[in-house]
Amino acid sequence: MSLYLDFGRRQPVATYACFKANGVSGVARYLDGHRVLHKGLTREEAEDISAAGLRIHTVFETSGGADIDGFPQNGDYFTREQGGRDWIEAVVDARAAGQPEGFPIFLAVDLHMPSWTWVGSDNPRLRAYFAGATQQDRVIGGSGYFIGCYGPDYVCAFIRDTFGITHLWPWLPRPPARPDFAYDLWQYENGASICGVGVDRNDCQLDGWRIEEASMDQYVTKAELEAFIADNRATLEAMKAVETKAIEALRAIRDALKDI
């Protein structure tokens, strides 16, 4: 099991290092159009997470109704038009955060859909919402990201069977039962606390992404180099002087050979 945590707001750099020290492999963070302060993933946070040696998955979910009529805990939210708008906004946010192409963005269905919204095995609202997202991705010529679904296990199964979407992040109404289908992430515990942060625990089967140039190795190397220079400045200056004299001697030999 690869342990990933999801949580609602940006954390200090030391917390991501603490996560790593406690056996965490990665985190799942929100994209939300930056409606709620510190909720949405930014490039700066992605760099902090990457520098700590953690990987990242992203889920798009709006602000919880603070400034939008309906949101993914209200069945009325799920329309074709909303699906298209959400996918465009998710793509914009992901690119701004530095998410590379080839990774999923999970669209959130953060509720148990009432039984009256289903028609047989179908759910017209979710069908419309994900149809809007997939259509919008085609309209823009392909975003480079995969559309994923975060939701109850039966919702994920319905989206898989209806749209062929295979990037699934189920949360189960019957924990600790394990999903009976392939998934990228499985949210199996809510309300845990790690490093003083309230988190949900997830089993991850698909490694997330990271910003390579922000790797911890590079940060450490830079710090170690600066410390080495500070501690050995006199020696390095002497070496530089010797090198300069050697270069001058080689140039003199080169010039002399030109005349032969």
Side-chain angles (χ1 to χ4, degrees):
M1 175 184 292
S2 182
L3 176 60
Y4 274 54
L5 308 177
D6 67 272
F7 44 91
R9 60 186 291 115
R10 181 177 182 174
Q11 300 298 321
V13 176
T15 299
Y16 297 125
C18 181
F19 287 163
K20 182 68 175 179
N22 280 271
V24 176
S25 297
V27 300
R29 291 287 289 116
Y30 287 101
L31 306 173
D32 77 327
H34 304 294
R35 294 179 175 85
V36 177
L37 185 63
H38 301 310
K39 177 183 177 182
L41 179 70
T42 63
R43 172 77 185 212
E44 292 75 17
E45 184 188 4
E47 289 176 348
D48 289 345
I49 294 168
S50 298
L54 301 171
R55 293 188 174 272
I56 306 168
H57 279 300
T58 55
V59 54
F60 182 86
E61 184 172 1
T62 54
S63 61
D67 57 355
I68 295 178
D69 291 333
F71 79 113
Q73 289 182 353
N74 183 331
D76 293 339
Y77 179 91
F78 296 101
T79 65
R80 191 181 190 96
E81 293 74 19
Q82 190 67 52
R85 287 194 297 268
D86 282 0
W87 183 246
I88 288 295
E89 192 165 348
V91 168
V92 170
D93 281 2
R95 287 177 177 168
Q99 177 170 333
E101 295 183 0
F103 288 89
I105 302 171
F106 298 92
L107 296 177
V109 182
D110 203 5
L111 80 167
H112 290 301
M113 298 297 287
S115 59
W116 55 264
T117 67
W118 295 85
V119 179
S121 61
D122 200 351
N123 184 299
R125 294 182 177 181
L126 294 185
R127 178 185 288 275
Y129 180 78
F130 280 89
T134 55
Q135 180 186 34
Q136 191 64 262
D137 197 60
R138 290 193 297 270
V139 167
I140 63 176
S143 62
Y145 300 123
F146 293 106
I147 296 174
C149 176
Y150 166 85
D153 58 334
Y154 56 88
V155 167
C156 288
F158 168 72
I159 296 303
R160 176 201 61 192
D161 295 344
T162 303
F163 296 97
I165 289 174
T166 58
H167 292 284
L168 306 174
W169 180 2
W171 54 266
L172 292 182
R174 307 174 296 278
R178 182 177 291 275
D180 60 359
F181 53 81
Y183 57 84
D184 291 350
L185 294 156
W186 167 41
Q187 189 180 90
Y188 63 87
E189 182 183 2
N190 302 121
S193 179
I194 298 180
C195 299
V197 180
V199 299
D200 298 330
R201 296 177 189 261
N202 299 269
D203 174 27
C204 181
Q205 302 293 328
L206 174 71
D207 275 341
W209 53 275
R210 64 183 298 190
I211 297 177
E212 295 296 341
E213 61 267 27
S215 70
M216 180 63 79
D217 291 343
Q218 291 174 324
Y219 276 66
V220 171
T221 300
K222 181 180 178 182
E224 289 178 344
L225 177 59
E226 290 174 347
F228 178 82
I229 292 173
D231 293 340
N232 299 275
R233 191 170 299 280
T235 301
L236 292 171
E237 290 294 335
M239 291 172 64
K240 183 178 179 180
V242 171
E243 181 184 26
T244 300
K245 290 181 179 179
I247 291 173
E248 290 175 350
L250 288 172
R251 285 175 177 169
I253 293 172
R254 181 195 63 191
D255 292 339
L257 290 173
K258 287 180 179 178
D259 298 330
I260 298 175

